[in-house]
Amino acid sequence: MAKLGLTAQRVYDLYEQNYAPNDRFLDIDDFKFHIAAIYTTMLDAQFQTERKAGKAETGFANVEITAQWMIEEVLNIECNEDEDKYFTKTSQPILGFRFDASANSLQGIHSFGNPHIIYRKISLQERRFKQNLPVVGDRSFFYVNSEKEIIFWFAKAGSKIKVQYIPAALGLDDDCLLADSISNEIIATLELMFKAKNGNFIQKLDDQNPNNATPQANPVTTK
């Protein structure tokens, strides 16, 4: 996995070519923002394509996400007794795909050590069926509640788990992680920045009046 800050710096160095004028329009934060946006768009586009293909082929919109896109963490399940809530929080925000209530970017949670528990993911819509579920000693259900929070049903506080997920790319977080296979394509950001650097003709001024280009006069010739 590559860090956003390092990736942005490399692209920025290529863009500036060791020359950064005092009146430059773009800075390193612009590059981080655009790289994070392009990276997220690339991941989502591939996910939507695979989901559509799976739906057409099998009738189910299941997507198998490559392990190289994900990170793995060992976490503890905690308990908030006041809210009767069992939860854990990831170190990085979990990426959210468009129209994906099942949080496919969170691929799996597994027991780490004893006791062995089987963890099953449910969608946000399935939360309303909690009262219909029987309590099973070796089984727990979970869903993604927010960017970093995962909620568990029938869990045990203190249990260790392995969580595998795609971290979200945040535009101003130097330490957020990018999959190498996708970050290598971020060089496309450089093309975007060069287009901005070269400039486009501004159609309107700040006062919203048309910016009409003044034609050059014909040179005066003398005999």
Side-chain angles (χ1 to χ4, degrees), residues 42-105:
M42 285 180 174
L43 285 179
D44 188 76
Q46 292 190 40
F47 172 79
Q48 302 299 340
T49 297
E50 291 300 318
R51 183 163 68 171
K52 183 177 180 180
K55 183 74 173 178
E57 182 177 348
T58 66
F60 298 96
N62 295 328
V63 177
E64 294 186 4
I65 296 176
T66 176
Q68 283 72 27
W69 290 8
M70 296 182 283
I71 61 175
E72 186 175 80
E73 296 178 343
V74 176
L75 303 172
N76 290 320
I77 296 178
E78 303 176 42
C79 178
N80 184 325
E81 295 182 357
D82 294 336
E83 299 180 13
D84 190 25
K85 180 176 73 172
Y86 292 85
F87 68 98
T88 193
K89 290 192 175 182
T90 56
S91 65
Q92 302 280 331
I94 301 170
L95 176 68
F97 294 116
R98 291 176 298 150
F99 315 115
D100 180 28
S102 297
N104 276 275
S105 55

Side-chain angles (χ1 to χ4, degrees), residues 8 17-18 30-31 54 56 62 64-65 74 81 87-88 121 126 133 135 140 150 159 169-171 183 195 203-204:
Q17 296 289 312
N18 294 324
D30 294 310
F31 281 81
N62 295 328
E64 294 186 4
I65 296 176
V74 176
E81 295 182 357
F87 68 98
T88 193
K121 183 170 62 175
E126 292 173 317
L133 293 173
V135 177
S140 178
I150 304 169
S159 297
L170 303 180
S183 64
K195 288 180 179 178
Q203 300 299 324
K204 291 186 178 182

Side-chain angles (χ1 to χ4, degrees), residues 208-219:
Q208 299 305 306
N209 290 319
N211 185 15
N212 297 319
T214 303
Q216 294 183 350
N218 293 327

Side-chain angles (χ1 to χ4, degrees), residues 1-34:
M1 303 291 281
K3 289 188 176 182
L4 174 62
L6 180 58
T7 302
Q9 187 63 58
R10 287 174 176 170
V11 176
Y12 183 68
D13 290 343
L14 289 172
Y15 171 75
E16 291 291 359
Q17 296 289 312
N18 294 324
Y19 173 73
N22 293 330
D23 61 346
R24 63 180 180 270
F25 178 71
L26 300 170
D27 59 21
I28 188 65
D29 287 341
D30 294 310
F31 281 81
K32 286 188 286 188
F33 174 83
H34 287 293

Side-chain angles (χ1 to χ4, degrees), residues 77 83-90 94 100-104 106 108-109 119-130 133 140-155 161 163:
I77 296 178
E83 299 180 13
D84 190 25
K85 180 176 73 172
Y86 292 85
F87 68 98
T88 193
K89 290 192 175 182
T90 56
I94 301 170
D100 180 28
S102 297
N104 276 275
L106 174 60
I109 292 181
Y119 294 95
R120 291 288 181 262
K121 183 170 62 175
I122 62 174
S123 70
L124 288 175
Q125 286 82 356
E126 292 173 317
R127 289 180 299 174
R128 63 183 185 274
F129 299 121
K130 182 178 182 180
L133 293 173
S140 178
F141 299 89
F142 67 91
Y143 61 90
V144 177
N145 189 51
S146 63
E147 285 186 337
K148 291 186 176 183
E149 186 179 64
I150 304 169
I151 300 294
F152 295 85
W153 293 345
F154 316 129
I161 53 175
V163 181

